[in-house]
Every structure is written in C-alpha cells, then in structure tokens.
Amino acid sequence: MVRFAAIRRWTARTLCGGAVIVAGIVHVPAALAFPYRADFGTTTVLAERPIDRAAMGRVLARADRLLAASPLDRPGLARQVVLTDGGWRWRMLAIGASDAIAFRRPFAHALIFNRHSVAADRVTNGAPLGGVRTLSGTIAHEMTHRLVADHIGEWAALRLPAWKREGYPDYVARETSIRPQDEALIRARDPNARVLAYYEGRRRVAAELARNGGSVDALLAP
C-alpha cells in the first residue's frame, strides 16, 4: 500500500511537471530553439528558416498601417512573431489549435503562425478553401486580439461573442481567409465551418460600427 501511494505521488508529480513544461513552451516559444531570429525595433521575429529582413520589414510595416486605423492601437508594443513551417514546432505550440492559420494565447505576447512565405506575404493552414491569408493582415489580426485584451481585460475578451471576438480583428486586418466567390462552396460543404464565423463576424462588425458612429468601446461593451 505504501509503495502504491509512492508510485501514485510520483506519477502525479511527473504529470504536473510535464504540464508545466508544455505550458512554458506554449507561452515562451523561444524554448523550442528556433534557429533564426531578427529584431525590428520592438518586434522580435523567430523563424525556422533564414529571415529576409527587407521583405519582413515590409510585412511588419503593412501590419502596423492596418493597426494604426484602430483607436486601440498602441504603437511600439513589444511583440514576438513566431514563423513556423507547420512541422513539429507548430504542433508543439498549436496544441488544441493545429488547424489554425495563426493564433495568440491569452496572457501571451507571442503571435504564432503556421506555414508561411514572408516574400509572398502569405500564411496558410493548407485548407483548399479558406486556408490562406496575408501574413501582414494576420499579424494585424492577432495583434488586435492583444489590443482588445489589453483594453477590456483578457477574461472579458474571451467572453466576447464570437462575431465580435473574431470579427473585429478581421475588420482591422481588412480581410478574412474566405474569398467572396468561395463562400457558397464552403457553405455547401459545411454550413457550420468555423471560418464562416470570421467572414460573417467581419461584416457584422462593420455594420455595427457604421450604426454606432465608429465607437469600438460601444462595440466591445457587454
């Protein structure tokens, strides 16, 4: 009985330790030893292949121009842009979100991206429909999640209805991953496809901001 209790305690500690390690990696991607790094002012870029500084600079500049149109924008915020090739590093970081194009974890400053091309300003999850976005627009989208969380609090941001939570970042990014000509095809295949929530959310947010005089605070109010 004593031996069984000791084994149970050891197992619990091992599982707890493993969870802590995974959580640490998820929130601090640098722990996965990305081979390439480049700094652009307060932005740090980590990547799995050499970083074209000129092209990356253009991508970040466009992302910042998009963000500047939002009253929530706070230029100069420190941020980490993590570019993966959709391989093992992506799978380690994207636990629970492996089919995403990109994501930001709550309470974290790292923005994680799936398969990408800096030169083409593109990021994808490989889906044949609704699976491609601009890298610059997606950086703006993920940064908007952070700006909203900073403005109203992480928990309040998580409790926003999906059309506001994803629609406003897409409104700032001025894009979704759906081309208008693909909408009918996606609805025919899966009327509940998650990507449609982004598409519909952006249009609903635009309509609401037009109705309320452009007040983002009113939009984000409970």
Side-chain angles (χ1 to χ4, degrees), residues 23-205:
I25 289 173
V26 164
H27 281 81
V28 187
L32 293 180
F34 279 79
Y36 299 98
R37 169 179 172 152
D39 292 309
F40 300 80
T42 57
T43 300
T44 296
V45 179
L46 302 177
E48 295 192 81
R49 54 179 184 259
I51 300 165
D52 181 332
R53 287 193 62 90
M56 192 70 225
R58 290 192 293 271
V59 165
L60 292 172
R62 180 173 185 268
D64 287 339
R65 287 195 299 273
L66 292 169
L67 288 164
S70 170
L72 304 184
D73 188 31
R74 293 160 58 203
L77 277 180
R79 63 189 174 190
Q80 192 175 76
V81 173
V82 182
L83 304 176
T84 81
D85 288 333
W88 68 270
R89 286 186 176 88
W90 169 258
R91 291 191 295 273
M92 284 285 292
L93 293 168
I95 295 171
S98 59
D99 61 345
I101 290 176
F103 65 90
R104 167 196 171 264
R105 298 287 184 191
F107 304 100
H109 294 170
L111 316 177
I112 319 294
F113 299 85
N114 205 332
R115 286 175 278 168
H116 70 284
S117 168
V118 172
D121 189 14
R122 185 174 68 93
V123 61
T124 180
N125 63 1
L129 289 174
V132 179
R133 296 181 64 125
T134 65
L135 178 57
S136 55
T138 312
I139 290 171
H141 176 107
E142 299 303 333
M143 273 300 294
T144 301
H145 278 304
R146 178 182 169 190
L147 293 171
V148 169
D150 287 350
H151 190 64
I152 66 174
E154 289 281 2
W155 295 116
L158 289 170
R159 289 194 298 269
L160 288 171
W163 71 272
K164 293 184 182 183
R165 188 172 62 250
E166 298 298 345
Y168 183 62
D170 266 4
Y171 176 84
V172 173
R174 299 183 188 174
E175 68 177 27
T176 68
S177 56
I178 298 180
R179 298 179 303 170
Q181 60 266 39
D182 292 337
E183 180 186 1
L185 288 172
I186 293 172
R187 289 189 187 280
R189 292 184 179 187
D190 181 4
N192 298 311
R194 185 166 178 257
V195 71
L196 290 171
Y198 292 69
Y199 186 72
E200 294 165 351
R202 180 189 174 197
R203 293 192 296 186
R204 190 170 173 183
V205 163

